[in-house]
Amino acid sequence: MLPFYGRKLPRRIKKTEVEKLQKTNFFFSKRNISKLAIKISEKPSEVNLEIGFGDGKNIISQAQVLKDELFIACDPYLKGSLLIRKNIERLKIKNLALTDLPFLELTKYLKNLYFKKIFILFPDPWPKKKHKKRRLINDNFIKIISKFTKKKSRILVSTDNRDYLNQILYTFYKTKEFKLNNKYFNDSLIMKYNIPKTTYLRKAMESGKKSYFLVFDKEI
């Protein structure tokens, strides 16, 4: 189990904002995570996941476009959940569940569940050599997501770090269970899956960094 590095709460956040989030019927912390199974059962069709949803723009967009599918979004840093709470309520989105459990901890509460799509957009690249072991996508991570995906499931990944890109490609290649989809890449992938310009993508563009969007298909 990889630990979560950093603060869970942003600085200067009002206690009342956290309380409002915890009272919603779409936010699941460790204290009520068992109720997530009820949320899943209410949407028995396709279930999707976003790991580390940041500003929430992508997961909000996905849930609005595919209203018959359920989206689960996990991010231990509460800033994203606090930011999009009002939007979820204002837009009356019913097919979205948020949790502050890290993905690897969340898997302990997911039983007999297979994801149609998993979004991993701009995971922390941990660029320093001594910190690379903290990267989310590694051999152990692939073994875990393999248990929660089935044939034709898709893993959508983006990064603006070339070293992490190479690691991601090699890690998926070694498994033989997932194959890089050559049909959808970068702009064509963004258009196919209606991925909006998130904060991290905008920052990468403003700094002149090239972003890479990849999709891996489960073949076994």
Side-chain angles (χ1 to χ4, degrees), residues 178-200:
F178 294 91
K179 182 179 180 181
L180 180 65
N181 187 314
N182 294 316
K183 184 177 180 180
Y184 301 112
F185 178 76
N186 285 354
D187 290 344
S188 61
L189 188 153
I190 291 171
M191 292 179 63
K192 167 71 175 177
Y193 290 99
N194 300 299
I195 297 175
K197 188 181 292 185
T198 64
T199 299
Y200 286 106

Side-chain angles (χ1 to χ4, degrees), residues 1-3 5 103-104 120 123 126 131-146 164 167-175 178:
M1 186 71 66
L2 288 175
Y5 297 94
F103 169 69
L104 297 180
I120 312 171
W126 295 107
H131 291 156
K132 286 183 181 180
K133 61 184 178 182
R134 299 181 181 181
R135 288 175 172 176
L136 175 68
I137 301 175
N138 53 34
D139 293 343
N140 182 55
F141 174 78
I142 299 298
K143 288 179 182 178
I144 293 172
I145 64 170
S146 181
Y164 201 3
Q167 178 179 322
I168 291 167
L169 289 168
Y170 184 56
T171 302
F172 274 98
Y173 169 77
K174 287 189 297 181
T175 69
F178 294 91

Side-chain angles (χ1 to χ4, degrees), residues 3 11 32 67-68 91 112 127-128 131 171 200 211:
R11 293 188 178 93
N32 69 334
K67 294 182 179 180
D68 291 332
L91 297 169
N112 303 315
K128 292 184 180 179
H131 291 156
T171 302
Y200 286 106
S211 296

Side-chain angles (χ1 to χ4, degrees), residues 87-102:
N87 283 334
I88 293 174
E89 294 174 336
R90 178 177 59 84
L91 297 169
K92 298 181 180 180
I93 297 174
K94 304 297 183 182
N95 59 329
L96 175 56
L98 307 178
T99 178
D100 62 345
L101 268 65

Side-chain angles (χ1 to χ4, degrees), residues 76-131:
Y77 188 36
L78 277 176
K79 183 178 180 180
S81 295
L82 292 166
L83 279 173
I84 67 174
R85 175 186 65 81
K86 292 181 180 179
N87 283 334
I88 293 174
E89 294 174 336
R90 178 177 59 84
L91 297 169
K92 298 181 180 180
I93 297 174
K94 304 297 183 182
N95 59 329
L96 175 56
L98 307 178
T99 178
D100 62 345
L101 268 65
F103 169 69
L104 297 180
E105 186 175 354
L106 175 64
T107 58
K108 296 189 297 184
Y109 302 92
L110 303 177
K111 304 295 183 182
N112 303 315
L113 179 63
Y114 297 97
F115 294 110
K116 178 184 178 182
K117 297 186 294 291
I118 298 178
F119 294 87
I120 312 171
L121 305 182
F122 298 99
D124 196 324
W126 295 107
K128 292 184 180 179
K129 186 176 181 180
K130 64 179 180 180
H131 291 156

Side-chain angles (χ1 to χ4, degrees), residues 28 34-47 68 70 72 94 97 110-113:
F28 300 88
S34 60
K35 294 182 179 179
L36 180 58
I38 299 174
K39 183 81 173 179
I40 294 171
S41 67
E42 292 172 351
K43 282 283 184 179
S45 58
E46 302 290 354
V47 183
D68 291 332
L70 175 65
I72 300 173
K94 304 297 183 182
L110 303 177
K111 304 295 183 182
N112 303 315
L113 179 63

